[in-house]
Amino acid sequence: MTERYVLDLQEVDETQVAVVGGKGAHLGGLSRIEGIRVPAGFCVTTDAFRRIMAEAPSLDDRLDQLSRLNPDDREAIRTLSAQIRRTIEGIAVPDDLTAAITRALARLGEQAAYAVRSSATAEDLPTASFAGQQDTYLNVVGPTAILQHVSRCWASLFTERAVTYRQRNGIDHRTVHMAVVVQRMVFPHASGILFTADPVTGNRKVATVDAGFGLGEALVSGLVNPDVFKVRHGEVVAKAIAAKQRAVHALPTGGTQEVAIDSRRQEQPALTDAQVVRLVQLGRRIEAHFGRPQDIEWCLVDDGFQIVQSRPITTLFPIPETGDQENHVYVSVGHQQMMTDPMKPLGLSMWQLTAMVPMHTAGGRLFVDVTRRLAAPASRAGLLDVMGRGDPLVRDALETVLDRDDFVPSLPDAGPGGPPTGGTSATIETDPAIVTELIERSQVSLAALERDIRTKTGPALFEFLLEAFAEHKRVLSDPLSMQAIMAGMEATWWLNDTLQEWLGEKNAADTLTLSAPDNVTSEMGLALLDVADVIRPHSEVVAFLQGVEDEGFLDELAKLAGGTEARDAIEAYLDRYGMRCVGEIDITRPRWRERPTTLVPVLLDNVRNFEPGAAERRFEQGRRKAQQKEQDVLSRLRALPDGDRKAGEAKRMIDRVRTFIGYREYPKYAIVSRYFVYKQALLEEAERLVQAGVLPQKEDIFYLTFQELHDVVRSNQVDDRLIQQRKDAFRSYHALTPPRVLTSDGEAVTGAYRREDVPAGALIGLPVSAGTIEGRARVILDIAEADLEAGDILVTTFTDPSWSPLFVAVAGLVTEVGGLMTHGAVIAREYGLPAVVGVERATRLIRDGQRIRVHGTDGYVEILP
């Protein structure tokens, strides 16, 4: 029985995480790879840890207390976790356990020096590395000292940082157990870390080696800067040799010591190029064994490499699967759709089934493969033009990839062309009746969908939906609709480019498009001001709304004075806009109709910050400003040489932009309206599966693709493990930052603005709505937590149409994602808000409450002292 407390490293592999923890399992797996040397050792198993925990019944209560603490209550966590550690370290190791460890030491050499390393069951996982969470002790000599350090490793499961990490990641303390790895010490000439993929760019073809003299602790603890080598295709392609002034060495009596390095050796590389290449070859072998890029700790002993740890690199963005070995270039869909959060599998597959172009998934996001369009010169120019107008960072990233020798092959122009780059809109008249007709067509199609879907259930529903998706695409690709959208955008570009040339004025179209008609998204923001007007006079209703938490609050309203009118106004708003929500391209996200509490904070802000009649005044004010701007521009043009012709052309374009620019927002509204109908039908189907005992809860269908859900409905059987895996994966995707452009090598290409005309220290972005505004920054990541005062500037990651109700309450806008024609930009212009989008890391660089100045005409943001 006693032997289960100790297992030799050679006896374990990566399937035994539950027995020997992540580190032990990986080391066991490593020791089985041909040509890989791992220092000899053994694992004290999790059975031993459980045995120790059972020796102190008081630990149970303390773990209960710990799990109830708020992850932000640092003081309480510090105190309680220290008590738990002291208790564990104070438990006497039972005799049979001591004997098992001592026997293992006798086999390897009792008086040798050892590294004693903690190995928790929830570390080095594909989705959470837990790096640095628990402790390692080097150069421990003698059985007594080793047993003492084993106890310390057990206790290190409850260091403050490990406890906080688990609480923040929703991991139950009781489900994590601690094994301990005891390994013969190696006394290396040099040591360091090898990443088999570039940890900064994500490029899987480039390995990075960090190297220093002595033990690796000097690098890990940041005591010295390492030499850094980059290796591609078996050769060193870049290196930076650091001045290594100190190293950590083992002491003969046990423990370690910092030593100064002889000045003559400081500038010497810790490894030769040949050694670096050999090390990377070993790394590639390890990577192939584990099936994913690895972060490997290595030591160089007598000209041979020994591996002391390997774990997955968890920060890399995954690469879309293609099944071929060709080079591919992918553009992020999320950056164009103003939604860079991960999507659930049903959301991804529904968007793929209803999109106009094929899309690939990776890391819970969608990407379009643009390799073929980049390869042919004609389609390349069109693609770069469209991408550049949408988001200059995407264009710059694509140009960066094109500048690389032969990554994108050159093809003749016969290939499929890029998206339309204009030209089609010339055939369309400037006639408001066109927009009216398009909106009517869309409404007729939606009404037919709502009527016909009612009778469909089971497999027949899925057959029906596939037909509905075909109609969905037909509505989206309606040539007249495309022409109307392009007409509005091209007129905007013409006005901006031509008026800058003729009058020296930047972004003139921003004022000319204020309060354009037929914009369903800007109307949505103003309509919520009208709802606030209904609520404002009724103090009981306002007080009730301030305490609302339950989604059923609309039914409660009717009991209050003025509550019936308030409820009817909110219901009417939800009838028109209830299908919207943040991240609405993901069908699985809760809609306002499903979660009306989301709108309550915005409504209350409107009640507090505005006077009655604000919506109409606001719209009228914008319309007048646009009219005055038009008269001003035309009279200045008439004063120029050939002025009547210029004024005539400008007038035609102003009429054109005002006719069509509002329609730009309608197709998305139509898509999201259809989505809500699909969703309600699928949720009714899910409810039947719950009733039949097939699924534990309705929302589980969100973790299946459309096709998988179809199969479940046909067979009445579901793979519970698959759903659990998908939930875990989805949680892990939140930690990943999706790149604008991604290559098949895994390289995330970010792009840059390359501008000189910006003050030092300013944050650069894309100017999308003219004007300059100063005010308090409100960094808001969740619309339900909005708390705005007049004059605030909204700073957020992205804004899709659901954010529009906030726009009426703010004075300016800054986002991390966006382009000239994305929703936030269009609505900012309609409302006359100075706005800068595409500001990298804006929500991290600008602190909530700081004063900032937004330069909406020139595209930068200053943080004010």
Side-chain angles (χ1 to χ4, degrees):
M1 279 299 283
T2 54
E3 282 310 307
R4 67 188 183 141
Y5 291 138
V6 170
L7 289 172
D8 192 274
L9 270 182
Q10 300 283 340
E11 296 177 73
V12 299
D13 63 23
E14 53 271 31
T15 62
Q16 287 162 281
V17 173
V19 184
V20 294
K23 190 176 292 150
H26 268 81
L27 283 167
L30 280 167
S31 64
R32 291 165 174 239
I33 305 172
E34 196 181 332
I36 302 297
R37 290 166 58 200
V38 174
F42 59 88
C43 300
V44 182
T45 65
T46 50
D47 284 346
F49 173 76
R50 276 190 286 271
R51 168 89 185 269
I52 289 294
M53 294 294 277
E55 297 278 324
S58 67
L59 284 170
D60 249 12
D61 294 343
R62 291 204 170 133
L63 287 181
D64 282 342
Q65 281 173 272
L66 196 59
S67 60
R68 287 196 293 272
L69 291 178
N70 180 327
D72 296 323
D73 190 346
R74 307 260 314 256
E75 199 47 52
I77 288 177
R78 188 175 300 133
T79 309
L80 192 51
S81 57
Q83 286 174 4
I84 294 172
R85 285 200 306 280
R86 274 199 303 278
T87 305
I88 295 172
E89 285 186 39
I91 297 168
V93 180
D95 292 346
D96 54 343
L97 186 43
T98 302
I101 293 171
T102 315
R103 267 201 303 279
L105 285 171
R107 281 200 303 275
L108 289 173
E110 214 165 79
Q111 288 311 308
Y114 288 87
V116 182
R117 314 167 73 192
S118 43
S119 176
T121 54
E123 67 177 1
D124 296 352
L125 305 177
T127 55
S129 78
F130 288 75
Q133 296 297 310
Q134 281 92 31
D135 294 347
T136 286
Y137 302 98
L138 298 177
N139 205 29
V140 184
V141 180
T144 311
I146 286 168
L147 280 165
Q148 186 189 359
H149 285 88
V150 168
S151 283
R152 282 190 187 166
C153 283
W154 287 328
S156 76
L157 191 60
F158 297 97
T159 59
E160 184 191 341
R161 63 179 187 269
V163 166
T164 307
Y165 188 91
R166 287 196 294 271
Q167 284 185 289
R168 288 193 192 287
N169 285 280
I171 296 165
D172 179 353
H173 300 300
R174 288 171 196 281
T175 61
V176 184
H177 299 119
M178 181 64 85
V180 182
V181 176
V182 180
Q183 267 178 301
R184 282 289 293 257
M185 268 296 287
V186 288
F187 300 105
H189 161 72
S191 57
I193 297 161
L194 156 64
F195 296 98
T196 63
D198 189 316
V200 179
T201 67
N203 194 324
R204 311 303 202 264
K205 300 265 175 78
V206 175
T208 303
V209 175
D210 290 7
F213 293 121
L215 290 165
E217 292 309 290
L219 298 190
V220 176
S221 63
L223 179 66
V224 295
N225 287 329
D227 296 339
V228 181
F229 302 86
K230 290 197 182 291
V231 175
R232 187 185 175 104
H233 300 319
E235 63 176 307
V236 175
V237 291
K239 60 180 162 183
I241 307 305
K244 297 167 288 297
Q245 291 167 346
R246 308 191 72 69
V248 174
H249 284 286
L251 293 169
T253 52
T256 59
Q257 175 187 32
E258 263 182 55
V259 293
I261 293 176
D262 179 331
S263 59
R264 288 183 304 251
R265 281 184 67 214
Q266 287 180 10
E267 304 283 344
Q268 273 184 357
L271 295 177
T272 65
D273 284 9
Q275 286 171 326
V276 170
V277 170
R278 198 162 84 235
L279 174 61
V280 170
Q281 285 168 344
L282 296 176
R284 292 281 177 231
R285 203 174 290 178
I286 293 169
E287 178 182 67
H289 175 83
F290 288 119
R292 56 193 307 150
Q294 298 287 302
D295 159 355
I296 297 165
E297 290 178 32
W298 56 269
C299 297
L300 177 65
V301 189
D302 305 330
D303 202 39
F305 287 103
Q306 299 216 19
I307 304 299
V308 293
Q309 184 154 339
S310 184
R311 61 166 85 86
I313 308 175
T314 57
T315 52
L316 298 176
F317 200 86
I319 307 170
E321 286 176 22
T322 54
D324 64 35
Q325 296 301 306
E326 305 295 310
N327 288 349
H328 294 270
V329 182
Y330 302 98
V331 171
S332 157
V333 173
H335 284 82
Q336 292 162 9
Q337 289 294 339
M338 298 302 93
M339 159 63 179
T340 52
D341 291 349
M343 293 165 70
K344 297 191 180 93
L346 185 64
L348 292 166
S349 69
M350 293 287 279
W351 195 261
Q352 285 173 302
L353 286 164
T354 51
M356 302 308 297
V357 292
M359 290 185 180
H360 304 262
T361 66
R365 276 78 168 190
L366 291 163
F367 293 87
V368 173
D369 185 341
V370 295
T371 321
R372 280 194 67 79
R373 281 193 257 167
L374 282 177
S379 57
R380 179 190 310 149
L383 178 75
L384 290 174
D385 184 49
V386 168
M387 290 294 164
R389 288 191 186 277
D391 181 342
L393 292 176
V394 172
R395 179 181 181 135
D396 188 78
L398 290 173
E399 286 175 335
T400 303
V401 175
L402 286 168
D403 286 344
R404 307 254 163 87
D405 294 343
D406 64 21
F407 186 82
V408 176
S410 272
L411 291 177
D413 272 331
T421 51
T424 50
S425 52
T427 55
I428 187 176
E429 291 299 311
T430 302
D431 178 2
I434 292 175
V435 172
T436 312
E437 183 196 336
L438 283 168
I439 290 174
E440 271 172 21
R441 277 191 208 176
S442 179
Q443 286 170 336
V444 166
S445 172
L446 179 67
L449 172 68
E450 288 175 326
R451 181 188 67 235
D452 297 343
I453 203 168
R454 282 191 195 121
T455 54
K456 307 291 187 287
T457 62
L461 170 67
F462 288 81
E463 300 303 328
F464 172 81
L465 280 172
L466 289 171
E467 288 169 28
F469 298 162
E471 165 68 2
H472 182 120
K473 288 184 178 181
R474 193 193 63 71
V475 171
L476 266 188
S477 58
D478 180 337
L480 189 63
S481 176
M482 305 291 263
Q483 287 176 326
I485 292 169
M486 287 310 296
M489 295 205 294
E490 287 178 342
T492 307
W493 298 334
W494 187 94
L495 285 166
N496 279 339
D497 294 347
T498 312
L499 295 180
Q500 181 152 11
E501 186 190 326
W502 288 348
L503 299 174
E505 186 170 339
K506 276 186 185 175
N507 303 3
D510 294 0
T511 312
L512 294 166
T513 52
L514 286 169
S515 299
D518 298 313
N519 186 322
V520 69
T521 311
S522 59
E523 286 165 8
M524 175 171 78
L526 297 173
L528 203 62
L529 287 174
D530 290 336
V531 178
D533 286 355
V534 175
I535 288 167
R536 196 178 291 107
H538 306 296
S539 54
E540 250 188 275
V541 172
V542 175
F544 169 76
L545 288 176
Q546 278 161 346
V548 154
E549 282 177 10
D550 177 27
E551 298 301 342
F553 73 93
L554 289 170
D555 299 336
E556 300 294 307
L557 272 176
K559 301 171 189 168
L560 307 172
T564 308
E565 298 94 300
R567 185 194 61 197
D568 292 349
I570 295 172
E571 283 285 1
Y573 185 85
L574 289 172
D575 285 344
R576 178 106 210 257
Y577 304 111
M579 78 296 285
R580 308 222 88 149
C581 68
V582 172
E584 60 192 11
I585 71 167
D586 181 352
I587 198 169
T588 72
R589 290 282 192 108
R591 311 282 136 178
W592 290 344
R593 171 52 84 190
E594 297 169 298
R595 202 176 282 176
T597 53
T598 310
L599 288 173
V600 170
V602 193
L603 250 179
L604 289 169
D605 281 349
N606 286 352
V607 167
R608 190 176 70 242
N609 293 333
F610 292 92
E611 297 292 314
E616 200 176 336
R617 270 198 310 281
R618 188 79 185 257
F619 188 79
E620 198 41 49
Q621 225 172 349
R623 212 176 56 78
R624 271 205 310 276
K625 259 194 202 164
Q627 249 176 346
Q628 284 160 0
K629 183 70 177 175
E630 178 179 331
Q631 286 161 3
D632 167 57
V633 163
L634 296 178
S635 68
R636 282 160 62 202
L637 287 173
R638 286 192 195 101
L640 297 175
D642 199 15
D644 284 348
R645 180 187 63 81
K646 287 176 176 163
E649 278 185 48
K651 172 67 177 147
R652 276 197 300 283
M653 282 301 176
I654 291 169
D655 289 348
R656 198 162 175 76
V657 85
R658 289 196 69 79
T659 300
F660 291 116
I661 202 66
Y663 177 72
R664 160 79 183 77
E665 291 292 296
Y666 197 84
K668 183 79 169 272
Y669 174 78
I671 290 173
V672 175
S673 300
R674 294 181 73 89
Y675 259 38
F676 194 37
V677 179
Y678 306 152
K679 181 180 188 178
Q680 287 168 305
L682 290 172
L683 281 174
E684 281 172 29
E685 210 51 52
E687 185 55 53
R688 282 190 276 278
L689 291 170
V690 172
Q691 298 300 330
V694 178
L695 285 177
Q697 48 192 16
K698 279 195 307 194
E699 285 73 21
D700 284 351
I701 66 163
F702 297 161
Y703 296 94
L704 298 169
T705 65
F706 180 80
Q707 190 53 56
E708 288 165 349
L709 179 53
H710 189 178
D711 294 340
V712 169
V713 166
R714 260 202 300 257
S715 66
N716 263 350
Q717 286 177 310
V718 73
D719 180 350
D720 298 327
R721 272 200 331 272
L722 176 70
I723 288 180
Q724 192 49 54
Q725 280 167 359
R726 295 271 177 81
K727 286 180 179 178
D728 294 342
F730 177 69
R731 225 186 352 260
S732 75
Y733 294 152
H734 282 278
L736 300 173
T737 303
R740 282 178 164 82
V741 170
L742 179 67
T743 73
S744 48
D745 285 353
E747 184 178 1
V749 192
T750 43
Y753 282 109
R754 309 190 193 285
R755 284 171 48 191
E756 305 294 322
D757 58 337
V758 171
L763 309 180
I764 303 177
L766 180 66
V768 294
S769 184
T772 301
I773 191 76
E774 239 178 71
R776 177 179 72 154
R778 290 311 319 268
V779 180
I780 297 174
L781 303 177
D782 178 353
I783 189 172
E785 285 163 19
D787 178 15
L788 296 165
E789 301 286 342
D792 283 350
I793 296 168
L794 173 62
V795 180
T796 188
T797 43
F798 57 79
T799 61
D800 57 12
S802 70
W803 286 78
S804 304
L806 260 61
F807 284 23
V808 297
V810 296
L813 173 71
V814 179
T815 68
E816 294 182 350
V817 174
L820 269 172
M821 284 296 162
T822 46
H823 303 278
V826 172
I827 307 305
R829 288 194 289 272
E830 286 236 346
Y831 286 168
L833 302 178
V836 180
V837 302
V839 179
E840 288 280 88
R841 298 174 50 235
T843 58
R844 282 169 276 181
L845 296 171
I846 299 170
R847 285 198 315 279
D848 188 48
Q850 270 183 324
R851 285 194 69 75
I852 61 173
R853 189 182 296 130
V854 177
H855 295 262
T857 310
D858 294 313
Y860 62 93
V861 180
E862 289 178 285
I863 298 175
L864 303 175

